[in-house]
Amino acid sequence: MEGYELVAELLARNGIKYMFGVVGIPVVEVAIAAQRCGLHYIGMRNEQAACYAAQAIGYLTGMPGVCLVVSGPGLLHALGGMANAKENSWPLLVLGGASDTDQEQMGAFQEWPQVESCRLYTKFACRPSSLEALPHVVSKAVRSTIAGRPGVAYIDLPGDLLRKSADLTLPPEVHLKVPIMQPHETAVKEAIDLLSKAERPLVIVGKGAAYSKGASSLIRDFIAKTNLPFLPSPMGKGCVPDSDLHSVAPAR
């Protein structure tokens, strides 16, 4: 299996469904292989737009969208989207093509310190040392985007790595087991005590509540039982219907 086929297969096995990008050397074959593996590839006109689209699908589905870019300027155009995903806590995986490793520090085509450029905006960023390391790297990258506070991961893919071949026995489909952080019981009791003494409490429903699976029904029950007024943030809309009698959204 060649490197680009391995990357696509690992993405599929880790539950990735969508890829947005602007293809070129050396990642054209990655996009083709991704489509063969059943991923939905959407070609864009600019890497920044591709990166924003990938993070949006990540927020909507709970699994990271992939942004596929070429080396140098291609990756640099995606940094704005990566920063946005980091600040908004949206799951996003960026794959960046890179110059061949045997041409480093020799002025290779579009050579750039890409891993270093991405560290400020990511929870995980690396260049795999070999094809044998890719299964671990891809699983770790995907997991990091959704574990705890969602965020961004980056994998650097040099051209010579993608062209290499290896005889690998791949693991079966990965079932990501992301630990769910539970609030401390004492903190919950303190919050209830504080709320019970509040004179004019207001519930603000934000995008974190919308992103959290199963939170909507809990919030609706909470509103119904307490009769507290609520308003949603723009991205918290839908957790509780705007038509609910407790909504004070116009006051926003």
Side-chain angles (χ1 to χ4, degrees), residues 141-161:
V142 173
R143 185 185 302 272
S144 71
T145 65
I146 57 178
R149 192 177 185 91
V152 187
Y154 173 71
I155 301 177
D156 204 51
L157 299 172
D160 52 339
L161 181 73

Side-chain angles (χ1 to χ4, degrees), residues 160-196:
D160 52 339
L161 181 73
L162 293 174
R163 294 192 299 272
K164 285 182 180 179
S165 297
D167 186 9
L168 300 174
T169 301
L170 296 182
E173 183 176 349
V174 178
H175 297 282
L176 295 175
K177 295 182 179 179
V178 179
I180 299 175
M181 302 299 292
Q182 298 290 346
H184 198 280
E185 186 176 347
T186 302
V188 174
K189 291 181 179 179
E190 290 176 353
I192 293 174
D193 181 60
L194 181 65
L195 183 60
S196 66

Side-chain angles (χ1 to χ4, degrees), residues 59 202-212 214-250:
Y59 172 75
L202 171 68
V203 178
I204 300 176
V205 184
K207 69 173 179 287
Y211 179 81
S212 300
S216 295
S217 60
L218 295 173
I219 295 171
R220 290 173 187 170
D221 290 344
F222 176 72
I223 297 296
K225 290 178 180 179
T226 60
N227 289 316
L228 292 175
F230 78 92
L231 63 81
S233 71
M235 296 195 66
K237 278 184 170 292
C239 288
V240 185
D242 284 349
S243 58
D244 191 287
L245 295 178
H246 299 92
S247 174
V248 293

Side-chain angles (χ1 to χ4, degrees), residues 3-95:
Y4 60 85
E5 296 174 317
L6 180 59
V7 170
E9 181 65 30
L10 290 170
L11 291 174
R13 289 179 183 236
N14 278 271
I16 301 299
K17 302 295 185 184
Y18 298 93
M19 177 183 287
F20 301 80
V22 181
V23 295
I25 298 172
V27 296
V28 174
E29 292 83 1
V30 174
I32 296 172
Q35 293 175 79
R36 289 174 180 163
C37 289
L39 273 68
H40 299 282
Y41 176 80
I42 297 93
M44 308 293 281
R45 293 292 179 265
N46 183 272
E47 292 82 4
Q48 186 182 52
C51 200
Y52 274 91
Q55 63 188 269
I57 205 72
Y59 172 75
L60 292 171
T61 65
M63 285 294 291
V66 171
C67 177
L68 181 68
V69 299
V70 297
S71 58
L75 175 69
L76 292 174
H77 289 171
L79 291 183
M82 294 170 70
N84 186 69
K86 172 182 179 293
E87 293 302 316
N88 279 288
S89 299
W90 290 344
L92 168 69
L93 174 58
V94 178
L95 304 180

